[in-house]
Amino acid sequence: MGKAGTGPEEADGGTSSDSMFAALLEDSAEELYENAPCGYLSTLMDGTVVKVNGTLLTWLGLDRAAVVGRLRFTDLLSVGGRLYHETHFAPLLRMQGEINGVALEIKQADGDRRPVLVSALIKYGSTGTPLLTRITVSDATDRRAYETELLRSRKAAEESARQARADRARLQQALAVLQQSLLPASLPVIPGVETATYYHAASPDQLGGDFYDVFPLDGTRFGFFLGDVCGKGPQAAAVTSLTRYTLRAAALHDPDPVAALTTLNQVLYERYAGNDPRFCTVVFGVLEPDPGSGHLTVRLASGGHPPALVLRGGGTADYLPTPGGLLVGALPEPRFTAATATLAPGDTLLLYTDGVIEARTGPDRSELFGDEALRAFTAEHAGASAGAVVAALTELLTGLGEGLDDDTALLALGATASGPPPNHTAHTPAQHTKTMNTP
């Protein structure tokens, strides 16, 4: 009789479902053993197989009669599997009484090998005597394929990373050579003048945009400039190269600083006007030593560049005002600002790029170094040689670490007593500049 509220058809349907479910549970233990998803076998303590299921026989490709009572467990293993069984598997099993998930290989009748994971358990009698070893063998073919692919992928990734490191090293080497070509190989020896330079590229993976140079104009006067090209990379390098050679050529034609910057502006504006404007900030000047007095007359003009600092031998440091100078190459007819200064022996003219004043300081690197901090710092070294001033600034900037995250260049021109400059200011970039440094 069906339950209350349940019709005869529903009752019959429920009975039919229960019968089908019960039928699924009527598999015999022997059938479950024979057709299990893993291999089973039992061996005597000497390893002789006394029982094996159909699943494992199928994997082996052998008949039951050829295995039971005739082969030992080790006979089913590959050569490597036998060695591991004797040296590790069997000793651990005897010592622990069981062992789980050991990776081995079984050999098949067709000569192939099948990776498996083996677990074993010793069955003991009532007196504690070991009677049988029960062994479970799980197919690890898919796992081995996965591990092989994982290993292949790992090796491929490691090789790719090694190749990337090698490619980056070659790129950095090429960039370092190119960067050096954008800086003067050496600076001229100027009687009564000491020159010192510093160069820092923010990244070894990019060409810096800062530049400087000192060169003779005639027998008594020397041109100099320091600047910063907008942007980085190959495009900035092209502008740097064009700027350097244009200023040199313009100065030889007309050494007036304003005229030189005007010529450079015309070249850059005509070359880059349009969809890809390129411009720079630069200070260009002419240095004229007076051998009789030891004084240096400096005439310079600025195109949008931070003002130069004049460090006096008496212990002061002040900016040389050049207000209103516009970026070079940005407008067709800009106005450039000129200034004149006289350096007595012991005085130094310091030119720098904005990487100095925009360096980040403070515990959290959130503050800019700034103009006033630079003036105060250089005032503490006023009266020192140009080399000593640049060395002190180099130490300061290097100490900022990651706070110095932009390209930076320094050029110091110091008036000395009559005679050639000291030997330690030979001005070769390898000795007196830091090129391609990273923070």
Side-chain angles (χ1 to χ4, degrees):
M1 180 180 291
K3 295 180 181 180
T6 302
E9 293 182 0
E10 291 182 281
D12 291 343
T15 301
S16 177
S17 297
D18 290 344
S19 299
M20 293 176 61
F21 183 70
L24 293 174
L25 299 179
E26 288 178 357
D27 289 343
S28 66
E30 185 62 27
E31 184 179 356
L32 291 174
Y33 176 85
E34 278 295 316
N35 300 309
C38 58
Y40 289 121
L41 70 158
S42 298
T43 72
L44 299 177
M45 296 311 297
D46 66 355
T48 302
V49 178
V50 294
K51 189 174 183 179
V52 61
N53 74 341
T55 301
L56 184 55
L57 290 172
T58 301
W59 292 350
L60 293 169
L62 297 174
D63 295 330
R64 194 181 307 273
V67 176
V68 175
R70 293 179 177 273
L71 299 179
R72 297 186 178 187
F73 176 59
T74 53
D75 296 329
L76 309 179
L77 303 177
S78 65
V79 174
R82 294 176 196 170
L83 291 174
Y84 189 84
H85 180 276
E86 296 302 324
T87 57
H88 293 79
F89 188 95
L92 282 173
L93 181 60
R94 287 193 297 268
M95 181 172 59
Q96 299 175 172
E98 65 177 312
I99 191 168
N100 295 301
V102 177
L104 295 173
E105 286 184 330
I106 58 174
K107 60 180 183 180
Q108 302 175 159
D110 60 5
D112 289 341
R113 295 180 299 176
R114 180 185 291 258
V116 294
L117 293 176
V118 178
S119 298
L121 175 68
I122 296 178
K123 180 182 179 182
Y124 296 92
S126 58
T127 61
T129 303
L131 302 178
L132 292 172
T133 301
R134 290 174 174 168
I135 301 174
T136 302
V137 181
S138 301
D139 189 4
T141 302
D142 292 341
R143 175 173 173 172
R144 177 67 61 84
Y146 168 75
E147 291 174 344
T148 300
E149 177 60 23
L150 188 64
L151 181 60
R152 186 200 66 79
S153 299
R154 179 179 178 181
K155 289 182 177 179
E158 290 175 348
E159 174 61 23
S160 178
R162 186 200 65 78
Q163 185 63 45
R165 289 192 297 270
D167 291 343
R168 185 186 183 195
R170 286 192 292 268
L171 174 63
Q172 289 180 348
Q173 183 179 17
L175 290 176
V177 172
L178 181 55
Q179 188 75 72
Q180 288 283 8
S181 71
L182 298 176
L183 299 173
S186 62
L187 299 183
V189 175
I190 307 175
V193 178
E194 178 185 0
T195 60
T197 60
Y198 166 84
Y199 191 90
H200 165 88
S203 170
D205 299 317
Q206 283 189 319
L207 290 169
D210 293 2
F211 58 91
Y212 64 84
D213 203 354
V214 180
F215 55 97
L217 294 173
D218 51 37
T220 59
R221 294 178 300 174
F222 293 81
F224 64 88
F225 56 79
L226 177 141
D228 182 2
V229 167
C230 175
K232 299 181 185 296
Q235 295 84 358
V239 179
T240 298
S241 180
L242 178 60
T243 297
R244 290 187 65 229
Y245 290 112
T246 299
L247 284 176
R248 275 178 165 257
L252 293 176
H253 175 71
D254 185 351
D256 177 71
V258 171
L261 292 187
T262 300
T263 299
L264 175 62
N265 184 85
Q266 182 179 1
V267 170
L268 292 182
Y269 188 80
E270 291 179 354
R271 171 66 178 81
Y272 293 103
N275 296 328
D276 186 26
R278 295 282 171 175
F279 45 83
C280 67
T281 68
V282 62
V283 173
F284 179 87
V286 174
L287 187 69
E288 187 172 358
D290 182 354
S293 64
H295 288 65
L296 304 176
T297 300
V298 179
R299 293 182 294 113
L300 58 81
S302 174
H305 200 81
L309 271 164
V310 178
L311 285 61
R312 298 297 182 182
T316 63
D318 292 292
Y319 288 104
L320 185 61
T322 49
L326 298 178
L327 294 174
V328 182
L331 297 175
E333 296 181 0
R335 180 175 65 87
F336 298 118
T337 304
T340 301
T342 300
L343 304 182
D347 295 347
T348 296
L349 180 73
L350 176 67
L351 284 74
Y352 55 93
T353 55
D354 58 8
V356 178
I357 54 178
E358 293 180 0
R360 293 177 289 111
T361 64
D364 57 354
R365 303 297 188 199
S366 61
E367 303 174 6
L368 298 182
F369 186 61
D371 302 288
E372 182 53 33
L374 176 61
R375 190 203 64 77
F377 181 85
T378 54
E380 295 176 0
H381 298 83
S385 66
V389 171
V390 169
L393 279 168
T394 298
E395 182 178 359
L396 171 70
L397 295 172
T398 302
L400 295 178
E402 294 183 356
L404 187 63
D405 57 1
D406 194 9
D407 303 327
T408 304
L410 300 174
L411 172 62
L413 305 169
T416 66
S418 60
N423 292 332
H424 69 273
T425 56
H427 313 304
T428 58
Q431 295 175 351
H432 296 288
T433 65
K434 288 182 175 286
T435 304
M436 297 304 292
N437 290 342
T438 56

